[in-house]
Amino acid sequence: MTKIDTSSPENVLPTPSHTVGPFYGYALPFPGGGDIAPLGHPDTITVQGYITDGEGRPLPDAFVELWGPGPDGRVSTTDGSMRRDPASGGFLGRNGVEFTGFGRIQTDAGGHWYARTLRPGARGHSAPYLSVCVFARGLLMHLFTRIYLPGDEAALAGDPLLAQLPPERRDTLIAADERNGTYRFDIRLQGEGETVFLEFE
């Protein structure tokens, strides 16, 4: 029988129950999770970026969930982001016609994610935005934030949430325009340049 000296923490190996989870790679991803816009829609935009930890390292196993209204500002009530075959239970995918406004994207090995969606329209007094939920290892509670798209400075200046933030914090919620309908939105979980996260009560 091998005896392990447990009087010193460096002599104790972690077991799976001691590692920091939860882990989202099983059951949550679904094919086409980032293909939110209907196939071939002329107003499709791409939103992409990286998720990094407090030291700037990419997170290869995080998830981003996006919700957004259509260009008219209305939230879709259409079912179908994750349709299943009623007979086999297999994944059928999106129908490619209706806009559901929902997507779930897993980061790749470099912490990168991207989604194809429609540019959201304004709702209420807010500038147009996409709602974001971030899941990652070590986060026992998911995080909420928003992605505002540049292009309408008057709407951004009048947004009630953005108006409460100092400029350097405000900028963490506004995507960068990379031209040709592509926007970059990096999510920094903590540290310098940390993304503004929201708390709902």
Side-chain angles (χ1 to χ4, degrees):
M1 180 169 120
T2 304
K3 189 173 181 181
I4 299 175
D5 176 13
T6 58
S7 62
S8 178
E10 60 269 6
N11 292 333
V12 180
L13 298 176
T15 65
S17 65
H18 292 116
T19 58
V20 179
F23 303 98
Y24 296 102
Y26 177 74
L28 284 182
F30 64 96
D35 296 323
I36 304 168
L39 192 62
H41 195 290
D43 299 324
T44 297
I45 63 170
T46 298
V47 183
Q48 59 91 21
Y50 292 85
I51 299 182
T52 56
D53 65 16
E55 296 181 359
R57 293 178 302 206
L59 294 181
D61 53 2
F63 277 92
V64 175
E65 284 189 351
L66 298 178
W67 298 272
D72 59 1
R74 285 189 287 190
V75 175
S76 175
T77 57
T78 301
D79 293 333
S81 293
M82 297 179 280
R83 296 182 311 137
R84 295 202 175 272
D85 184 318
S88 70
F91 184 76
L92 289 175
R94 299 177 191 268
N95 66 17
V97 176
E98 296 171 294
F99 175 71
T100 64
F102 171 78
R104 180 184 295 148
I105 310 101
Q106 184 171 12
T107 56
D108 64 17
H112 184 257
W113 64 275
Y114 77 94
R116 293 172 47 261
T117 189
L118 299 180
R119 187 179 182 102
R123 300 179 66 221
H125 298 294
S126 297
Y129 65 86
L130 297 169
S131 295
V132 182
C133 187
V134 179
F135 301 81
R137 64 179 137 142
L139 291 180
L140 301 181
M141 293 292 293
H142 42 276
L143 302 172
F144 296 100
T145 190
R146 290 179 177 179
I147 301 173
Y148 290 91
L149 300 178
D152 187 341
E153 294 310 311
L156 292 172
D159 183 86
L161 173 64
L162 293 177
Q164 297 178 49
L165 301 171
E168 68 277 5
R169 301 291 288 140
R170 177 183 183 272
D171 290 346
T172 70
L173 295 181
I174 302 174
D177 188 348
E178 296 193 315
R179 319 270 281 189
N180 301 317
T182 300
Y183 299 90
R184 179 167 176 171
F185 187 79
D186 295 331
I187 300 170
R188 182 78 179 258
L189 296 184
Q190 58 183 179
E192 187 178 348
E194 176 184 324
T195 300
V196 170
F197 295 106
L198 309 175
E199 185 174 292
F200 295 97
E201 298 178 349

